[in-house]
Amino acid sequence: MTIYKSEAGARLLTERYLGALRVWPVPHEEVRVPTPAGETFVLVSGPESAPPLVLLHGSGSNSAEWAERMPELAGAFRVYAVDVIGEPGLSAEARPPLEGDRYAAWLDAVLDHFAVARSAFLTSSFGGWLALDYAIRRPARVTALALRCPIGLGPMKKGFVVKAVLLGLLGEKGRRKSVAGALGEPESSPIVEHQLLVAANYRYRTGPFPVFGDAALGGLAMPVYAVAGAADAMVDSATTKRRLEAAGAEVDLLPGAGHYLPDARDLEFLTRAVANGDFTG
């Protein structure tokens, strides 16, 4: 089954993304990488001699999520913005099982293509789950993790799902209210508008995301930083903070913030991590 609800919807979201790429804020290469899970689209920017940084966006998104931050990120790192497979970007529509190492093998292929032995990761939401899974399975290849609203640490809030279903029955107005509440954004926000467009044309993943065990998290030896919104309607951020801090991570919980976060100190953390270690890739 395609990840899109219709061919017209697929074209609409693809054209919207291509439009963002046409005005990408920094010089870049667009690379299509062959992997066991299918072709993967990667935007590469920043000095070749800079430390590598892999960006993994959230579910229902693509690398355009990072556009506003690219000038600062590409100024400090060799950035590989990866369109996650099975999401509405330009990579293959494949969705391997979350259990097992299929996603780790996929990321192995991406890093190997660019001859990157080790890299730092900056992620958002589901991208945080992917990076944590990779760091647990391939610790030698991950130099630092910066996680924004990561999932897989605390339970997803059941009340949000119920509320979303009920509001969805109210039509466009209810859906807008639901998305705005989830993101912690005003209903008039362009971010809310974009997510409504995605939801109308894209099939989100179903089923729970596997939760990482304490032993797996406790084995993470690389520097880890996370930031989450205290008012996140989807994820139990307090549990995320507690479990990551117990594993030795630095965690910021932003009062009043939802699942969409303002800039935090992730770049400061990554820059510091690079300065304190051998993260040449």
Side-chain angles (χ1 to χ4, degrees), residues 82-164:
V82 180
D83 276 6
V84 175
I85 51 174
E87 299 296 335
L90 298 179
S91 293
E93 295 188 17
R95 286 180 176 170
L98 294 175
E99 297 79 7
D101 72 345
R102 296 274 294 279
Y103 278 98
W106 165 68
L107 281 170
D108 280 340
V110 173
L111 293 182
D112 289 347
H113 182 84
F114 296 106
V116 173
R118 307 167 68 230
S119 180
F121 284 72
L122 173 60
T123 71
S124 174
S125 193
F126 174 54
W129 187 95
L130 291 170
L132 279 166
D133 178 71
Y134 193 65
I136 290 165
R137 297 179 187 276
R138 308 285 197 271
R141 302 201 71 168
V142 179
T143 56
L145 292 173
L147 313 168
R148 301 172 63 83
C149 290
I151 61 175
L153 296 158
M156 303 294 283
K157 292 183 176 178
K158 294 180 181 179
F160 165 74
V161 177
V162 174
K163 183 178 179 181

Side-chain angles (χ1 to χ4, degrees), residues 205-225:
R205 297 167 185 269
T206 58
F209 291 90
V211 174
F212 300 106
D214 290 338
L217 295 176
L220 296 173
M222 72 288 295
V224 179
Y225 167 76

